[in-house]
Amino acid sequence: MFDPTQLRTFLAVAQTLSFTQAAHRLGLRQSTVSQQVRRLEEAAGRQLFARDTHGVALTEDGEAMLGFARTILEANERAASWFAGTRLRGRLRFGASEDFVLTRLPEILEGFRREHPEVDLELTVDLSETLQQQLTAGRLDLVLAKRHPGRPHGRLVWRDKLVWIGSERLRLEPHRPLPLVVFPSPAVTRARALEVLERHGRAWRVTCTSGSLNGLVAAARAGLGVMAHTLGMIPPGLVRVPARAGLPELGAVDVVLLYGASTDGTSPGGGARGPAEALAEAILAAGDRLHSSGAPGLPDRRGAGSDPR
């Protein structure tokens, strides 16, 4: 028998690759997180994480436990909901960043609607900064978006690395301006790419601007230029630009859940709080499935500056 509390803690560490970040997400002390993971490893009789001074990574047994943990927790939630005899109702206005269009987010939303058929789910897809503005204005209840590391707001889903990606056939000329395929302002990836290039004195020119991820992917596949993108969600048909191209490092980015005023318990109605929390828990439980490439525990998934503890 595996303790659901320990499994939730395990998932948080597996997705953030940081005991400190997992503790922040769960509202626990770091020592408590370490203790719960240790007890789960004792129950399994296997080591689930490899820890050293450089970071935290899932072992082979840890990757196996990842699938088991999701299945156990999902079944536990379904059973609890069934026997509690309570069904969530209401309207939930959910916003998701463009980056998740090509991931398995639709599967998570489909499962949520199946489990909570009486919740009216409304989806808005836009840029992260735009979604956060709508959240502040009270037009959304819950947002899944990118955030610059270090910002205090939001519930961390995972930390990833921003990398340069493009067509495998693209050849960059070091003495010519770097061709860029970018989201319009105020996109997080656009701001980071331009800031880093300016800081390193690298000339650039925008060859394509689109508010649609599909539009950017089409341009990048056609060889119009490179784009800054999260390592864990590289779209099919594009590859990471090799280090020999000499492009500057882009650093880390956080993927977070942000709650609106109607879901944080401070508004008089608070009508969306239950549905928002239920969807947030579903996303947190399946956060690693949002990665369209790479596997949890690979060193490249760890963002620069991640806390290895």
Side-chain angles (χ1 to χ4, degrees), residues 10 43 50 53 61 70 91 127 143 156 161 170 183 186 218 227 235 255-256 268 304:
F10 164 77
T53 56
D61 289 317
R70 282 198 304 263
R91 177 189 182 201
L127 302 177
V143 162
L156 182 66
K161 191 174 186 178
L170 180 65
F183 283 117
M227 56 189 288
V255 175
V256 297

Side-chain angles (χ1 to χ4, degrees), residues 119-140:
V119 173
D120 294 324
L121 179 63
E122 300 176 6
L123 175 64
T124 298
V125 178
D126 213 320
L127 302 177
S128 291
E129 293 289 344
T130 302
L131 291 172
Q132 293 179 51
Q133 292 168 7
Q134 294 182 38
L135 190 75
T136 302
R139 294 195 291 271
L140 292 172

Side-chain angles (χ1 to χ4, degrees), residues 72-297:
I72 293 169
L73 290 174
E74 288 169 0
N76 189 63
E77 290 297 325
R78 286 196 299 271
S81 176
W82 176 273
F83 290 108
T86 58
R87 296 175 70 90
L88 287 177
R89 295 178 176 83
R91 177 189 182 201
L92 176 57
R93 300 167 299 173
F94 174 59
S97 168
E98 272 279 343
D99 303 70
F100 303 104
V101 169
L102 301 180
T103 71
R104 298 174 69 178
L105 178 62
E107 294 179 20
I108 297 173
L109 296 180
E110 180 185 20
F112 175 82
R113 294 194 70 245
R114 186 170 57 250
E115 295 297 322
H116 308 289
E118 295 181 33
V119 173
D120 294 324
L121 179 63
E122 300 176 6
L123 175 64
T124 298
V125 178
D126 213 320
L127 302 177
S128 291
E129 293 289 344
T130 302
L131 291 172
Q132 293 179 51
Q133 292 168 7
Q134 294 182 38
L135 190 75
T136 302
R139 294 195 291 271
L140 292 172
D141 304 307
L142 180 69
V143 162
L144 178 65
K146 297 190 303 298
R147 178 195 69 181
H148 298 289
R151 287 190 180 180
H153 304 296
R155 195 173 178 187
L156 182 66
V157 182
W158 79 82
R159 177 166 291 177
D160 209 339
K161 191 174 186 178
L162 281 182
V163 296
W164 299 102
I165 64 173
S167 167
E168 191 171 10
R169 296 180 298 279
L170 180 65
R171 296 294 177 264
L172 299 174
E173 300 180 38
H175 303 298
R176 300 189 62 181
L178 182 68
L180 295 179
V181 174
V182 292
F183 283 117
S185 182
V188 171
T189 51
R190 177 193 178 104
R192 179 73 63 82
L194 299 188
E195 185 272 328
V196 167
L197 291 172
E198 292 289 347
R199 178 155 36 93
H200 285 79
R202 178 66 188 263
W204 54 270
R205 65 187 180 94
V206 173
T207 56
C208 174
T209 301
S210 174
S212 163
L213 177 60
N214 285 327
L216 296 183
V217 170
R221 286 177 180 167
L224 270 66
V226 298
M227 56 189 288
H229 201 71
T230 47
L231 176 63
M233 297 189 293
I234 297 177
L238 297 176
V239 298
R240 185 175 179 180
V241 176
R244 63 176 178 274
L247 300 185
E249 293 287 331
L250 290 164
V253 66
D254 288 346
V255 175
V256 297
L257 283 164
L258 299 160
Y259 295 82
S262 63
T263 62
D264 63 6
T266 61
S267 70
R273 187 178 184 185
E277 188 58 34
L279 179 55
E281 290 300 328
I283 291 171
L284 288 168
D288 53 284
R289 293 168 60 192
L290 293 174
H291 292 261
S292 58
S293 64

